[in-house]
Amino acid sequence: MAVELIYETHATTTDNEDGISTGWLPGELSAAGHRQALELGERRRADGLAAVFVSDLHRAVRTARIAFPDGYPPILQDRRLRECDYGDLNGSPAALIAERRARHIDEPFPGGQSYSQVMAATRAFLHDLVKGWDGARVLVIAHSANRWALDCLLDGASLEALLGEGRFAWQPGWHYTVPDGF
């Protein structure tokens, strides 16, 4: 069997609106983000989800709690679903992070981590997901770095190419299959 994984990004934050790359800082949902979180819940409520896995960063947790206020499906936080840690550059202008992103595939941001480290954390999450949730449909609410990792790990995309494009194009969810034995 396999796990059907639906990925959604956290809702829009005030940092997003201000052109800031939050990284491992908490981030606060904007008014638009609050509406988006409600819409996410409406969009996914009838999807037969067994669980919602969410980054433990505030903006992702808040998105999940607004989307599913009654606690069903269960919301499970996992730190392996965090955004890339930009280290000394957390909270920097998004343009600066975009400009430097491709340099940090294997080399960590100063005081932070690399995208390869995000990929390794996402891989470990998927490995445990298959062991515990085989045959289930789950929702993951996380960040752009995690979506790029999923594209690489499950669809064979190139991290270099994704980071070279450097733009995260929002859509209402992405669908992946995590094969048995991942």
Side-chain angles (χ1 to χ4, degrees):
M1 299 203 60
V3 176
E4 182 182 347
L5 187 154
I6 303 167
Y7 168 85
E8 294 262 2
T9 188
H10 66 78
T12 299
T13 66
T14 55
D15 281 351
N16 295 140
E17 292 178 347
D18 292 339
I20 300 296
S21 287
T22 311
W24 275 21
L25 300 176
E28 293 293 331
L29 297 188
S30 67
H34 192 275
R35 285 190 305 277
Q36 291 166 351
L38 289 170
E39 292 167 2
L40 186 157
E42 292 169 12
R43 183 169 57 249
R44 298 294 173 205
R45 196 157 282 116
D47 281 357
L49 301 170
V52 176
F53 291 90
V54 61
S55 158
D56 66 345
L57 294 174
H58 177 75
R59 59 197 182 271
V61 172
R62 187 78 181 119
T63 298
R65 288 187 178 151
I66 292 169
F68 303 100
D70 59 358
Y72 184 81
I75 298 169
L76 307 169
Q77 294 180 39
D78 196 309
R79 75 180 327 255
R80 296 173 295 183
L81 295 172
R82 285 183 173 192
E83 176 62 277
C84 187
D85 181 3
Y86 306 127
D88 299 342
L89 298 176
N90 285 328
S92 292
L96 176 68
I97 298 299
E99 171 191 312
R100 297 181 182 192
R101 188 173 279 130
R103 295 184 223 159
H104 296 286
I105 292 172
D106 294 312
E107 177 186 333
F109 281 90
Q113 69 180 162
S114 69
Y115 283 97
S116 292
Q117 289 172 306
V118 174
M119 186 127 52
T122 304
R123 181 182 290 111
F125 167 78
L126 294 174
H127 177 75
D128 290 346
L129 182 70
V130 166
K131 287 193 314 190
W133 296 85
D134 193 27
R137 175 182 294 143
V138 301
L139 176 65
V140 170
I141 300 174
H143 311 274
S144 59
N146 310 106
R147 208 227 52 220
W148 291 326
L150 292 171
D151 283 351
C152 293
L153 295 167
L154 299 174
D155 288 344
S158 158
L159 186 56
E160 292 81 3
L162 291 171
L163 295 180
E165 292 171 12
R167 187 170 175 278
F168 182 86
W170 184 87
Q171 66 183 45
W174 289 260
H175 293 263
Y176 300 93
T177 299
V178 186
D180 184 36
F182 184 87

